[in-house]
């Protein structure tokens, strides 16, 4: 069996690779990246590290040859992703790959206002009509984002606001997304044509989550219920670009487009993220981490 992982140099790709290396010989892994030198350690262990770029269809097809199953980790290039993902699906088919596992998002419906949700919807459609076997992993919001990124900002400002209203989310640990993906890849034929909701074990409003963090940290944060127009003004005042720009995630003050973040909040408010499943447990045999457990994992960063 040969498992191909795209985005293998990224955070999620590295977590999935590390888990698979505990279950299958390194020689069964083909790792794709535009920068093979970043995966030198994995190559030393015996993994086949290959150059691949979603913007280069012939090169991608060459890189996928010999693979049985592809872990297609969605890219971050909003606006280009449907083309990139569709290129990868077609290249996989042309290269003889039989099965694609795709990292989608929670609440994938044609009516979702979320820009990334629409792109995941289009990719899911392309995958389901490709003739390949597939497994779709609809990852909910990473629980880690709140204690790692949003809580330090809330502590610094003493307040934080969202336009998600009473919309609910079952945030999931990124490690559980990786565990679910590795579990599917190691036994992919058993998961043919399944769509899984990869969520945490409990639904919360954003206000619930910040109340919990505030209590745990003993650093009071005022939670503000904002309208979408008010939230847009907050993003604009922070100098965050409305549209996506390539490479922006490397800029700590302008790391993601506000159009995408605002429409994500709209999707939460409209109930598209109000999904809580036990699919992590079903796939991995271990229950998903609770939000409180994820907070404990990251809270050291607040105490600095
Ligand atoms: N659920 C959530 O809350 C949430 C939040 C944010 C992101 N996400 C999702 O999380 C996943 C990525 O997470 P991550 O943390 O691993 O991201 P990351 O660390 O930024 O890694 C991104 C990966 O994508 C690869 N990539 C980007 N453009 C590419 C291209 N044109 N051709 C080939 N490879 C390309 C990069 O590979 P090279 O640079 O090495 O080529 C890199 O390995 C994505 O599926 C994203 O949609 C989910």
């Amino acid at each position: 069996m040969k498992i191909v992982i795209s985005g293998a140099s990224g955070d999620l790709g590295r977590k999935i690779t590390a888990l698979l290396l505990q279950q299958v010989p390194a020689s069964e892994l083909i790792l794709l990246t535009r920068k093979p030198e970043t995966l030198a350690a994995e190559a030393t262990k015996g993994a086949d590290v290959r150059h691949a770029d979603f913007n280069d269809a012939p090169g991608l097809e060459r890189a996928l040859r010999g693979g049985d199953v592809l872990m297609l980790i969605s890219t971050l290039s909003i606006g280009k992703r449907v083309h990139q993902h569709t290129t990868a699906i077609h290249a996989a088919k042309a290269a003889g790959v039989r099965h694609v596992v795709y990292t989608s998002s929670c609440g994938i419906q044609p009516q979702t206002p979320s820009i990334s949700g629409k792109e995941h919807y289009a990719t899911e459609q392309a995958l389901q009509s490709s003739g390949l076997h597939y497994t779709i992993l609809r990852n909910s919001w990473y629980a880690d984002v709140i204690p790692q990124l949003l809580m330090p900002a809330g502590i610094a400002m003493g307040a934080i606001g969202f336009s998600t209203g009473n919309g609910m989310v079952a945030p999931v640990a990124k490690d559980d997304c990786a565990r679910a993906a590795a579990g599917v890849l190691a036994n992919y034929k058993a998961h043919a044509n399944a769509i899984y909701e990869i969520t945490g074990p409990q639904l919360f409003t954003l206000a619930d989550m910040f109340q919990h963090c505030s209590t745990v940290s003993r650093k009071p944060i005022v939670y503000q219920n904002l309208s979408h127009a008010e939230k847009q003004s907050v993003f604009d005042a922070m100098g965050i670009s409305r549209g996506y720009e390539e490479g922006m995630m490397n800029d700590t003050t302008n790391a993601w487009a506000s159009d995408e973040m605002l429409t994500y909040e709209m999707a939460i408010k409209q109930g598209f993220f109000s999904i809580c499943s036990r699919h992590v447990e079903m796939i991995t045999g271990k229950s998903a981490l609770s939000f409180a457990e994820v907070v404990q994992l990251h809270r050291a960063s607040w105490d600095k």
Side-chain angles (χ1 to χ4, degrees), residues 7 9-12 33-34 53-54 74 76 103 140-142 174:
S9 67
D11 189 40
L12 186 61
T33 170
R34 290 167 299 179
D53 186 336
F54 287 119
S74 49
L76 301 163
T103 55
S140 188
W141 197 15
Y142 293 149
K174 199 170 185 181

